[in-house]
Amino acid sequence: MKRLLVLLLCLLVALTMTACGGGNQDEVADAPEAGVDYVLDEPVPEGAEDARVIELEFTPQTIIPNEVTMKTGEKILFVIKNTDPDGEHNFLDAASGLPEILVYPSQTVRRLWTAPTTPGEYEPTCTIHPWIKMKFIVEE
């Protein structure tokens, strides 16, 4: 009887740890792809000390804000949070030289980027959700 009680207690602890993730979920979580880990809240990258911070938020239907004005050649630190619990989002724009930035559910990423040196309007898109669009207005 004592062994059965100990066994049930061990099973209860194991199930509780499994249900709670069994680890520090603030630092690393399982990505949608099996076996891939990612950092939930990325640190500020080196070289971002003098960058302008632009905070963006992905929701299931949009990105907030969806229009940002910047100066030509301005150093930008994007801080992007994905509040969509069901899916990852990305955005990129070849015309502005913005490489793909992928953000998993509940993740916050920080990416350093330099705005184009040519003034104009640029339209990064989420290729996963084509209805999510934004506009960069680059001014001299």
Side-chain angles (χ1 to χ4, degrees), residues 18-56:
T18 300
C20 294
N24 186 346
Q25 293 298 304
D26 290 335
E27 293 179 12
V28 178
D30 290 331
E33 297 83 24
V36 176
D37 286 335
Y38 65 94
V39 177
L40 277 180
D41 191 6
E42 293 183 347
V44 174
E46 285 188 39
E49 297 78 20
D50 58 343
R52 175 179 167 206
V53 176
I54 296 178
E55 296 183 5
L56 302 170

Side-chain angles (χ1 to χ4, degrees), residues 3 98 118 124:
R3 282 187 188 179
L98 180 70
T118 304

Side-chain angles (χ1 to χ4, degrees), residues 85-102:
D86 296 323
E88 63 267 7
H89 291 270
N90 71 349
F91 75 109
L92 62 137
D93 179 53
S96 68
L98 180 70
E100 179 185 30
I101 300 174
L102 179 65

Side-chain angles (χ1 to χ4, degrees), residues 31-89:
E33 297 83 24
V36 176
D37 286 335
Y38 65 94
V39 177
L40 277 180
D41 191 6
E42 293 183 347
V44 174
E46 285 188 39
E49 297 78 20
D50 58 343
R52 175 179 167 206
V53 176
I54 296 178
E55 296 183 5
L56 302 170
E57 176 186 350
F58 275 115
T59 70
Q61 297 301 320
T62 193
I63 187 165
I64 304 167
N66 64 359
E67 185 174 299
V68 178
T69 300
M70 58 192 70
K71 299 288 183 194
T72 57
E74 185 175 24
K75 188 192 287 189
I76 305 289
L77 174 64
F78 288 115
V79 178
I80 309 160
K81 182 166 182 75
N82 183 356
T83 58
D84 181 353
D86 296 323
E88 63 267 7
H89 291 270

